[in-house]
């Protein structure tokens, strides 16, 4: 058989099919025979296919008429069915109209029937009410309380059926009187049944009270019966105190009357030691009542026993608060002697100087923990009660501690300014604030005192040590405050505590800032010094000499100790930064835990509106998750929805990674670190600043080479003392910073970071030193060739030191060195050829300017030399004139004496006056008398007017 499946493919290839068929032939069969057989088979199969198609086409044509007849028959049936359905719908519409009228009529008849039956029943109730009213007294007289209760129930039912009818108003009043009468008749029997644990009697009496709607009376009577023994348990403490007091007084009398030394052996009972036993006895009593009520009142025990505890705590509440207050005062001798406690201290009734101490708050927290243990036991005992009942019970248990947590009133604390400072505090926040303030005040944070030379380093080290030791103490105080808050309030006051912690930390950092100010004076870098990073250099020469003398007074050991002490301040800043960051992280973790325990889902979305917001399951049973979350914080927050909302907002914000629990303190810590860095920098750079203070005014910059008549060799210049001193100091920086790096690496396992920290500080100081040096270089007004050579040598020496310290050479300093090393006549071409590729052009122009100014100063000095030469020539001429004048004067005087010897008989004195003009001496013979002065025009000829300088000195 031939496989014809290939012929049905879309991409059928005839040649490929024939070749494949030929390849499948028998090896002994020829190709021609294979092709002939293949052609014959294909022809036969083609004929068979054609015959099959013909047969099937004929059969199909025969089936077409039959199918047409079937289609017509189905269409006729569909039309007939449509007509039938239409007729049925028409009949239904007609029937619906008549039925609606019938049903409406029947409904009206039914209403009339119901009204008639109600009227009949009302008439029967009215008749029965009248009969019951007349026979009720007989029922009460019989003493059958159950029957009396049944009668009252029937009367109540009849009155509700009759409604507000004037004829039965007296019966309504009579019913109330009878119910009260029955209640009073039940109470003695109920008291006996509850006292003697008569279950059946108690159940019957409960049924009577419930039937007349007096369940509240059952609760009140149950509480009244059992409150008395509980109060006896509570008053047992006072009785024991009185007994001990009387015994103590008796023993005191016996001791005084006896000769022997007798001491009382009765121990003093404290409230904190007595309270656990009271809670144990009370819990045992409640467990017994819970078990008994489960049998006697199976439907009401979940509310009756908790109501007993609520009323008990309300009854002893005020006395409980008083005992707690006195118990907190007994732990401190001062308050114990005055019989006062925390509330008395905060109310301002105590003497000045008495403040809340940690012991007070620890005693309060200890009592609160005892109450918390009792509350958890009660919660376990009443676990079957509904959540609102359990919530009210726990509120009553924690009620005595509310006065120690609630907001301070306007008349509670202080007056005037002091009151304004605390009126917005919660009481607990105020207690923590006062305690933390007193604890930090006890930390030794004395500032440094300026001492004599040789003791400054010791004072600095001691102060830094006190600062560093205070940080762990303060952080420990803050951790303890957080633990106290969680233990006492369950975290409900954490938002208020955070504000107090932030404020306390600010005060502490302010104290550290003041200490830093005192350290500046000890280190010699206070506001009067000129070595700070952001301070200007002192420009006065005398102050620079004073600074230099002050540096010289400090020995190398003293300087080393000051630098090391200043570097230790960095560890203080690092310790404060790390410790505060760790504390803030732990505070955020605490907030995260509180966010889980005080989940918003526990309180629902309508927090604080009512107690029905607590979630329950579909069957009305309170969820166990809600009951388990009822800790002290949850119980407190339910009654203060505004505070709860603020707390939950804080907890939500704490989930943000950018959240800062102590925002103000975090900023102040960063500011303190910056202040420390500035102080350390000022200390490290102070010596450099003092050595560089007068560099711009050194006389070497304006020095001129002295001419010599002999050819002398030119020697290289040596670096000056100021730059060698600074260079030696910079080279000691790695050694000085090494202890700092070792200290950081010992506290931090990351040694690379510590090494980087030391290297960073070294680079910072070196950069500051080069900056100060370049600032002084810019202050040079002009510089000679000799000064340029010397300055180039100084800069080159400093460059070598910077290279040894692996510091990059600043472009400005490199430009100074290049321009000063270049001869003055080639400097201009050198700057132009560089074009700013390697030189700093503004600096290069400045160097050109100061060297040009030196050239101009030299030219002015040459002009002065020419003027001196002219003066010398004038002086020589004056000498000649003076000689001639002297001869003429002598002759004239001799002649005048001969003619006027009888008038002018006074000799003319002559003096010698010597005046210096540079190196030339002029000796003139001048008369001192008035007559001789009138002859000056004769003595000094007009030639002297050609020399103004000479005339100036002579006249």
């Amino acid at each position: 058989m031939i496989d014809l499946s290939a012929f049905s493919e879309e991409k059928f290839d005839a040649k490929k099919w024939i070749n494949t068929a030929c390849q499948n032939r028998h090896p002994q069969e020829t190709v021609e025979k294979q092709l002939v057989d293949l052609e014959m088979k294909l022809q036969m199969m083609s004929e068979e296919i054609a015959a099959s198609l013909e047969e099937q086409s004929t059969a199909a044509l025969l089936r077409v008429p039959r199918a047409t007849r079937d289609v017509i028959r189905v269409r006729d049936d569909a039309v007939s069915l449509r007509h039938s359905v239409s007729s049925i719908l028409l009949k239904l519409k007609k029937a619906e109209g008549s039925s609606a009228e019938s049903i409406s009529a029947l409904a009206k008849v039914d209403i009339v029937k119901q009204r008639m039956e109600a009227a009949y029943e009302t008439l029967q109730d009215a008749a029965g009410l009248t009969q019951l009213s007349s026979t009720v007294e007989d029922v009460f007289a019989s003493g059958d309380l159950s029957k009396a209760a049944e009668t009252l129930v029937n009367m109540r039912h009849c009155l509700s059926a009759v409604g507000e009818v004037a004829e039965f108003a007296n019966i309504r009043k009579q019913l109330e009187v009878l119910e009260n009468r029955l209640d009073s008749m039940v109470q003695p029997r109920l008291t006996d049944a509850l006292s003697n644990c008569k279950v059946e009697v108690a159940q019957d009496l409960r049924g009577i009270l419930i039937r007349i709607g007096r369940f509240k009376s059952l609760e009140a009577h149950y509480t009244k019966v059992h409150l008395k023994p509980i109060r006896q348990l509570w008053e047992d403490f006072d009785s024991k105190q009185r007994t001990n007091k009387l015994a103590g007084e008796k023993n005191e009398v016996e001791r005084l009357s006896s000769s022997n030394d007798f001491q009382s052996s009765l121990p003093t009972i404290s409230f904190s030691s007595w309270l656990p036993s009271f809670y144990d006895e009370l819990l045992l009593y409640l467990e017994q009542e819970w078990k008994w009520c489960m049998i006697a009142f199976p439907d009401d025990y979940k509310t009756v026993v908790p109501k007993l505890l609520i009323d008990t705590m309300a009854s002893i509440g005020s006395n409980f608060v008083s005992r707690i207050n006195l118990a907190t005062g007994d732990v401190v001798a001062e308050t114990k002697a005055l019989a006062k406690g925390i509330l008395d201290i905060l109310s301002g009734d105590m003497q000045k100087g008495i403040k809340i101490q940690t012991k007070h708050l620890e005693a309060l927290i200890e009592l609160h923990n005892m109450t918390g243990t009792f509350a958890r036991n009660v919660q376990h005992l009443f676990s079957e009660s509904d959540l609102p009942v359990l919530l009210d019970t726990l509120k009553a248990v924690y009620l005595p501690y509310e006065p120690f947590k609630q907001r301070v009133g306007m008349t509670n604390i202080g007056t005037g300014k002091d009151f304004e400072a605390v009126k917005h505090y919660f009481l607990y926040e105020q207690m923590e604030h006062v305690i933390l303030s007193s604890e930090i005040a006890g930390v030794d944070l004395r500032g440094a005192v300026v001492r004599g030379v040789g003791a400054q380093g010791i004072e600095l080290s001691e102060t830094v040590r006190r600062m560093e030791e205070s940080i762990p103490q303060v952080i420990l105080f803050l951790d303890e405050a957080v633990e106290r808050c969680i233990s006492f309030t369950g975290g409900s006051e954490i938002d208020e505590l955070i504000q107090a912690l932030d404020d306390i930390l600010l005060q502490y950092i302010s104290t550290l800032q003041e200490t830093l100010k005192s350290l500046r004076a000890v280190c010699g870098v206070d506001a009067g010094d000129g070595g700070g990073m952001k301070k200007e250099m002192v420009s006065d020469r005398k102050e620079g000499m004073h600074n230099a003398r002050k540096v010289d007074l400090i020995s190398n050991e003293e300087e080393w100790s000051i630098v090391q002490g200043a570097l230790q301040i960095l560890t203080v800043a690092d310790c404060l930064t790390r410790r505060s960051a760790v504390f803030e992280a732990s505070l955020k973790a605490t907030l995260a835990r509180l966010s889980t325990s005080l989940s918003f889902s526990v309180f629902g979305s309508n927090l604080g509106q009512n107690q029905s917001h607590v979630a329950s399951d579909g069957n009305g049973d309170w969820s166990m998750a809600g009951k388990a979350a009822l800790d002290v914080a949850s119980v407190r927050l339910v009654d203060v929805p505004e505070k709860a909302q603020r707390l939950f907002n804080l907890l939500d914000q704490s989930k943000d990674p950018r959240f800062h629990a102590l925002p103000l303190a975090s900023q102040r810590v960063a500011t303190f670190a910056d202040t420390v860095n500035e102080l350390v920098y000022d200390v490290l750079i102070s010596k450099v600043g003092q050595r560089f203070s007068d560099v711009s005014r050194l006389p070497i910059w304006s020095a001129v080479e002295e001419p010599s008549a002999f050819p002398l060799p030119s020697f290289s210049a040596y670096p000056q003392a100021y730059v060698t001193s600074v260079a030696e100091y910079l080279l000691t920086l790695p050694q000085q910073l090494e202890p700092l790096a070792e200290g950081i690496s010992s506290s931090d396992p990351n040694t690379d970071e510590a090494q980087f920290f030391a290297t960073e500080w070294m680079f910072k100081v070196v950069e500051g030193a080069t900056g100060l040096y370049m600032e002084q270089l810019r202050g040079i007004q002009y510089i000679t060739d000799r000064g340029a050579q010397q300055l180039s040598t100084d800069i080159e020496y400093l460059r070598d030191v910077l290279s040894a310290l692996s510091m990059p050479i600043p472009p400005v300093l490199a430009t100074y060195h290049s321009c000063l090393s270049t001869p003055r006549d080639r400097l201009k071409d050198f700057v132009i050829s560089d074009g700013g590729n390697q030189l700093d052009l503004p600096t290069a122009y400045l160097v050109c300017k100061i060297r040009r100014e030196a050239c101009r100063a030299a030219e002015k000095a040459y002009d002065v030399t020419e003027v001196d030469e002219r003066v010398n020539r004038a002086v020589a001429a004056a000498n000649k004139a003076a000689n001639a004048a002297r001869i003429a004067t002598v002759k004239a005087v001799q002649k005048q004496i001969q003619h006027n010897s009888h008038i002018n008989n006074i000799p003319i004195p002559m003096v010698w006056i010597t005046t210096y003009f540079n190196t030339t001496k002029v000796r003139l013979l001048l008369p001192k008398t008035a007559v001789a002065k009138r002859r000056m025009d004769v003595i000094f000829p007009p030639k002297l007017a050609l020399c103004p300088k000479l005339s100036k000195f002579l006249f």
Side-chain angles (χ1 to χ4, degrees):
M1 292 296 294
I2 298 176
D3 186 11
L4 300 178
S5 61
F7 290 91
S8 63
E9 296 178 358
E10 294 182 0
K11 298 181 179 180
F12 174 72
D13 189 356
K15 295 180 181 180
K16 183 178 179 181
W17 185 85
I18 294 172
N19 292 332
T20 303
C22 292
Q23 291 176 358
N24 294 333
R25 65 184 174 83
H26 195 271
Q28 297 179 358
E29 189 177 4
T30 61
V31 177
E32 291 80 3
K33 185 178 179 181
Q34 176 70 16
L35 292 176
V36 171
D37 293 342
L38 186 61
E39 181 181 1
M40 184 180 298
K41 290 178 182 180
L42 289 175
Q43 186 175 1
M44 290 175 64
M45 293 183 70
S46 176
E47 290 175 358
E48 290 177 1
I49 291 172
S52 177
L53 289 175
E54 182 70 23
E55 182 180 355
Q56 290 179 4
S57 299
T58 303
L61 289 174
L62 292 176
R63 285 194 298 270
V64 169
R66 185 184 302 170
T68 302
R69 288 194 300 271
D70 293 339
V71 170
I72 293 173
R73 186 172 62 255
V74 171
R75 184 188 62 186
D76 294 340
D77 293 341
V79 172
S80 175
L81 180 61
R82 183 183 298 174
H83 290 301
S84 300
V85 172
S86 298
S87 61
I88 292 172
L89 290 176
L90 183 60
K91 291 178 182 179
L92 288 175
K93 288 182 180 180
K94 292 180 179 180
E96 184 180 0
S98 59
S99 299
E101 295 176 357
S102 301
I103 292 173
S104 178
L106 290 175
K108 292 180 181 179
V109 172
D110 185 65
I111 291 173
V112 172
K113 179 185 176 182
Q114 292 178 0
R115 291 176 179 175
M116 292 176 65
E117 290 176 351
Y120 174 73
E121 292 177 357
T122 302
L123 292 175
Q124 285 184 339
D125 292 336
L129 182 60
T130 304
Q131 183 180 359
L132 291 172
S133 177
S134 61
T135 59
V136 67
E137 291 295 336
D138 296 334
V139 175
F140 271 89
S142 65
D144 190 352
L145 299 182
S146 300
K147 188 175 181 180
E150 186 67 26
T151 302
L152 295 180
V153 169
N154 293 333
M155 291 179 65
R156 176 70 65 183
H157 175 71
C158 293
L159 281 175
S160 62
V162 172
E164 298 294 333
V165 180
E167 287 77 2
F168 298 105
N170 293 330
I171 296 178
R172 190 179 299 279
K173 295 179 180 179
Q174 181 186 7
L175 178 61
E176 294 178 358
V177 174
L178 292 174
E179 288 178 347
N180 294 332
R181 181 179 173 184
L182 180 60
D183 190 2
S184 62
M185 294 173 65
V186 169
Q187 285 183 6
R189 300 184 183 184
L190 183 60
T191 301
D192 180 69
L194 294 175
S195 300
N196 298 318
C197 298
K198 298 178 180 179
V199 176
E200 295 180 356
V201 178
Q203 289 177 345
D204 294 338
L205 296 176
R206 170 193 172 276
I208 292 173
L209 292 176
I210 289 179
R211 274 184 289 175
I212 64 175
R214 295 299 180 93
F215 179 76
K216 293 294 183 183
S217 177
L218 173 65
E219 289 183 339
H221 201 67
Y222 178 83
T223 302
K224 181 180 179 181
V225 170
H226 293 285
L227 185 59
K228 185 175 181 180
I230 296 177
R231 286 195 62 88
Q232 289 178 355
L233 293 175
W234 175 256
E235 294 171 356
D236 179 63
F237 177 74
D238 292 335
S239 63
K240 289 183 178 180
Q241 291 286 80
R242 287 193 296 269
T243 302
N244 289 339
K245 183 177 181 180
L246 292 175
E249 294 176 354
K250 182 179 179 181
N251 291 334
E252 183 68 19
V253 172
E254 292 178 356
R255 186 182 66 83
L256 294 176
S257 61
S258 175
S259 59
N260 297 328
D261 189 6
F262 177 79
Q263 294 183 355
S264 175
S265 60
L266 292 177
T268 303
I269 300 177
S270 63
F271 180 71
S272 59
S273 61
W274 173 85
L275 184 60
S277 62
F278 168 74
Y279 278 143
D280 292 340
E281 294 177 2
L282 178 59
L283 184 63
L284 180 61
Y285 190 88
L286 293 176
E287 288 179 353
Q288 295 175 353
E289 288 303 316
W290 182 267
K291 294 177 181 178
W292 186 84
C293 288
M294 287 178 66
I295 301 172
F297 308 135
D299 297 331
D300 306 321
Y301 73 96
K302 297 179 182 179
T303 57
V304 172
V305 182
K307 183 68 166 55
L308 171 62
L309 181 57
I310 292 173
D311 292 342
T312 299
M313 298 306 298
S315 174
I316 65 176
S318 59
N319 188 256
F320 205 144
V321 174
S322 176
R323 290 187 182 181
I324 292 174
N325 184 39
L326 293 177
T328 57
D330 289 342
V331 296
V332 179
E334 295 178 350
T335 52
K336 182 179 181 180
L338 298 174
K340 301 293 183 180
I342 289 180
L343 295 179
D344 301 309
I345 298 176
L346 295 178
S347 62
D349 297 337
M350 301 292 292
Q351 301 175 359
K352 291 184 178 180
I354 299 180
K355 297 181 180 180
I356 296 179
Q357 300 181 16
T358 308
K359 294 182 179 180
H360 290 131
L361 191 54
E362 289 177 351
L364 178 62
I365 293 175
E366 182 182 1
L367 296 174
H368 189 273
N369 291 338
M370 298 176 187
T371 304
T373 303
F374 174 71
R376 287 190 293 272
N377 294 331
V378 168
Q379 185 176 354
H380 177 71
L381 177 62
F382 298 160
S383 59
E384 298 180 11
S385 300
D386 293 340
L387 191 54
V389 176
L390 191 58
L391 188 62
D392 292 338
T393 305
L394 295 178
K395 287 181 185 177
V397 172
Y398 288 114
L399 184 63
Y401 296 92
E402 280 302 308
F404 299 91
K405 302 177 184 178
Q406 65 186 359
R407 187 181 292 274
V408 179
M410 293 190 65
T411 58
N412 283 353
I413 298 177
T415 57
K417 183 177 180 181
D418 295 336
F419 168 70
E420 292 295 329
V422 300
K423 71 175 182 179
H424 296 296
Y425 281 162
F426 279 85
L427 195 59
Y428 175 73
E429 178 196 358
Q430 183 194 3
M431 289 190 294
E432 287 289 358
H433 197 281
V434 174
I435 290 174
L436 290 174
S437 298
S438 61
E439 288 178 339
I440 293 179
V443 178
D444 187 6
L445 283 176
R446 290 175 289 114
V449 179
V450 179
R451 301 184 182 276
V453 177
Q456 301 285 24
I458 300 176
E459 177 67 18
L460 179 61
S461 301
E462 288 296 322
T463 305
V464 173
R465 180 188 59 80
R466 291 195 297 268
M467 293 173 65
E468 189 172 4
E469 292 178 352
S470 68
I471 295 174
Q473 299 178 21
V474 172
I475 298 299
L476 181 61
F477 295 153
L478 300 182
D479 286 331
E480 291 175 350
V482 175
E483 293 177 0
R484 290 195 296 265
C485 178
I486 299 300
S487 178
F488 185 54
T489 68
S492 62
E493 310 298 327
I494 192 67
D495 54 338
E496 306 294 336
L497 178 65
I498 286 177
Q499 297 180 7
L501 295 180
D502 205 4
D503 184 49
I504 290 296
L505 203 52
L506 286 179
Q507 295 179 10
Y508 171 66
I509 296 174
S510 298
T511 305
L512 293 181
Q513 295 276 18
E514 294 298 325
T515 307
L516 283 183
K517 291 181 180 179
S518 64
L519 290 179
R520 295 190 68 88
V522 172
C523 297
V525 290
D526 52 357
D529 251 345
M533 176 174 54
K534 299 179 180 179
K535 303 179 181 65
E536 296 181 356
M537 294 296 297
V538 179
S539 59
D540 186 70
R541 181 183 299 272
K542 293 182 180 179
E543 187 170 352
M545 295 174 62
H546 171 71
N547 291 336
R549 287 195 300 269
K550 184 170 66 175
V551 173
D552 294 337
L553 290 176
I554 301 177
S555 62
N556 294 332
E557 293 79 5
E558 179 79 6
E559 181 182 353
W560 176 272
S561 61
I562 290 177
V563 172
Q564 291 302 311
L567 291 176
Q568 288 301 316
I569 306 177
L570 293 175
T571 61
V572 174
D574 181 66
C575 180
L576 179 61
T577 303
R578 287 188 292 103
R579 291 293 186 119
S580 61
V582 171
F583 173 72
E584 192 169 6
S586 66
L587 197 57
K588 291 180 67 175
T590 302
L591 293 177
R593 291 196 301 270
L594 290 177
S595 178
T596 303
S597 60
L598 298 177
S599 176
F600 195 79
S601 60
V602 175
F603 300 96
S605 59
N606 297 324
L607 179 65
Q609 294 181 0
N610 50 50
Q611 294 183 5
S612 64
H613 59 264
V614 186
S616 62
D617 55 21
N619 298 327
D621 296 332
W622 299 104
S623 62
M624 294 304 297
K627 294 180 181 179
L630 285 180
D631 56 359
V632 58
S634 303
V635 172
R636 174 170 173 74
L637 291 176
V638 168
D639 290 337
V640 281
E642 297 82 4
K643 176 175 177 55
Q645 190 63 50
R646 291 196 304 270
L647 179 59
F648 284 124
N649 291 337
L650 175 64
L651 296 179
D652 290 338
Q653 294 174 4
S654 65
K655 299 176 183 178
D656 190 349
R658 299 169 297 179
F659 172 75
H660 284 284
L662 305 173
L664 297 179
S666 301
Q667 297 176 3
R668 191 64 67 84
V669 167
T671 304
F672 176 77
D674 294 339
T675 306
V676 168
N677 291 337
E678 182 179 353
L679 171 59
V680 174
Y681 180 84
D682 290 346
V683 172
L684 295 178
I685 204 70
S686 60
K687 182 175 181 179
V688 177
Q690 291 163 358
R691 294 300 185 188
F692 282 159
S693 59
D694 295 329
V695 170
S696 62
R697 296 185 297 271
L698 292 178
I700 189 63
W701 313 138
S702 58
V704 182
E705 294 185 1
E706 296 181 0
S708 176
F710 303 97
L712 297 177
S714 59
F715 298 95
S716 300
Y718 291 95
Q720 299 183 77
Y722 78 91
V723 72
T724 56
S725 175
V726 171
E728 291 174 358
Y729 174 72
L730 294 180
L731 289 175
T732 60
L733 282 179
Q735 185 180 1
Q736 291 180 342
L737 292 171
E738 183 178 359
L740 176 64
E742 292 177 355
I744 296 177
S745 61
S746 62
S747 60
D748 189 357
N750 193 352
T751 309
D752 295 337
E753 183 178 354
Q755 189 64 34
F756 173 78
F757 183 74
T759 305
E760 182 183 10
W761 266 102
M762 184 183 68
F763 280 17
K764 186 185 298 184
V765 175
V766 173
E767 288 177 358
T770 54
L772 292 175
Y773 190 48
M774 290 185 292
E775 188 68 25
Q776 286 293 320
L777 294 182
R778 293 188 183 97
I780 299 176
Q781 300 298 325
Y782 63 90
I783 187 168
T784 62
D785 291 342
R786 182 182 177 186
Q789 181 183 6
Q790 181 62 54
L791 184 56
S792 175
T793 303
D794 295 344
I795 295 175
E796 183 177 3
Y797 183 76
L798 185 60
R799 284 180 57 186
D800 295 339
V801 173
L802 296 181
S803 300
L805 295 174
S806 301
M807 277 289 298
I809 308 301
V812 174
L813 197 62
T815 302
Y816 263 103
H817 180 264
S818 300
C819 294
L820 293 173
S821 301
T822 304
R824 186 177 58 188
D825 53 351
R826 291 185 294 176
L827 180 59
K828 182 177 180 181
D829 297 335
F830 174 71
V831 174
I832 295 175
S833 62
D834 182 81
N837 295 328
Q838 296 181 355
L839 300 179
D840 182 64
L841 291 181
T843 304
Y845 295 153
L846 178 61
V847 176
C848 293
K849 178 182 177 182
I850 61 177
R851 298 194 70 175
R852 186 168 57 250
E853 290 295 332
C855 181
R856 291 178 180 175
E859 292 177 356
K860 291 181 180 179
Y862 179 74
D863 294 339
V864 171
T865 303
E866 291 184 349
V867 171
D868 289 341
E869 291 179 356
R870 290 199 300 270
V871 170
N872 291 335
R873 289 194 295 270
V875 168
N879 288 333
K880 292 181 180 180
N883 292 331
R886 184 183 58 182
I887 296 172
T889 302
V890 171
K891 292 181 179 181
V893 169
Q894 292 176 354
K895 185 178 179 179
Q896 187 70 20
I897 290 173
Q898 294 176 1
H899 293 283
N900 301 318
S901 58
H902 63 281
I903 298 174
N904 296 327
N905 199 18
I906 300 174
I908 300 176
M910 308 298 289
V911 296
W912 293 93
I913 298 177
T914 304
T915 306
Y916 294 92
F917 292 93
N918 291 338
T919 58
T920 305
K921 295 183 179 179
V922 180
R923 292 182 298 174
L924 300 179
L925 186 63
L926 300 178
K928 296 184 64 176
T929 60
V931 176
K933 288 181 180 179
R934 286 195 300 268
R935 298 172 183 170
M936 282 299 192
D937 55 342
V938 179
I939 298 175
F940 295 100
K943 288 184 179 181
L944 291 178
L946 299 176
C947 184
K949 285 189 175 182
L950 183 61
S951 300
K952 174 182 178 182
F953 283 101
L954 293 178
F955 298 99

